[in-house]
């Protein structure tokens, strides 16, 4: 099968990690979700080779990186290079839900192809922000 569909609720409940990669069959990069309760403080960590991209799906994250503290709200994105020490915590009064994507090896370049060439105009309008 060339695709899979799920939801965070289907991947587990409660607080902590929700494994995404294996249940959905993702092999090109690592991906997990993390659910923190209000006030939860994460652990400071780094990686040997894997950069991480954090997406704040719900709540407010506090990230400590390079001696600085940042608060990032819903829809926010944070990229951290592999060997950079970081700590993510819940800065809000509700649950914090993060999507974490990790990878190494670099950008693959744009390799998408239209299935129907009649969609070219629609794709160009989307690229210009015209939905």
């Amino acid at each position: 099968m060339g695709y899979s569909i799920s939801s965070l609720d289907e991947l587990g409940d409660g607080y902590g990690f929700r494994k995404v990669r294996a249940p959905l069959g993702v092999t090109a990069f690592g991906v997990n979700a993390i659910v923190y309760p209000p006030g939860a403080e994460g652990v400071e960590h780094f990686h040997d080779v894997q950069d991480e991209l954090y997406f704040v799906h719900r709540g407010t994250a506090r990230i400590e990186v390079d001696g600085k503290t940042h608060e990032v709200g819903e829809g926010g994105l944070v990229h951290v290079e592999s060997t950079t020490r970081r700590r993510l915590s819940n800065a809000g009064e509700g649950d914090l839900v993060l999507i974490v994507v990790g990878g190494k090896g670099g950008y693959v370049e744009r390799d998408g192809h239209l299935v129907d060439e009649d969609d070219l105009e629609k794709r160009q309008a989307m690229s210009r922000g015209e939905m």
Side-chain angles (χ1 to χ4, degrees), residues 7-9 12-16 18 33-38 54-62 72-77 88-100:
S7 71
L8 292 180
D9 289 338
D13 56 7
Y15 296 114
R18 307 266 176 97
I34 309 173
V35 182
Y36 287 91
Y54 300 93
F55 170 71
V56 180
H57 174 65
R58 184 169 51 234
T60 303
R62 178 175 44 258
V72 182
E74 292 181 7
L77 295 162
L88 286 101
S89 303
N90 187 345
E93 295 181 11
D95 290 347
L96 171 64
V97 180
L98 299 171
I99 304 296
V100 185

Side-chain angles (χ1 to χ4, degrees), residues 27-102:
T27 59
F29 51 87
V31 59
N32 287 305
I34 309 173
V35 182
Y36 287 91
E41 186 172 302
V43 297
E44 188 173 28
H45 73 285
F46 66 94
H47 294 270
D48 292 326
V49 296
Q50 176 176 258
D51 281 16
E52 288 184 317
L53 178 70
Y54 300 93
F55 170 71
V56 180
H57 174 65
R58 184 169 51 234
T60 303
R62 178 175 44 258
I63 182 163
E64 300 167 45
V65 61
D66 276 344
K68 297 178 184 166
T69 301
H70 306 272
E71 286 199 4
V72 182
E74 292 181 7
L77 295 162
V78 177
H79 166 248
V80 183
E81 292 181 349
S82 60
T83 57
T84 301
R85 293 163 48 160
R86 81 289 310 252
R87 177 193 325 264
L88 286 101
S89 303
N90 187 345
E93 295 181 11
D95 290 347
L96 171 64
V97 180
L98 299 171
I99 304 296
V100 185
V101 178

Side-chain angles (χ1 to χ4, degrees), residues 104-112:
K104 67 172 187 158
Y107 180 55
V108 188
E109 303 298 327
R110 294 180 71 149
D111 67 348

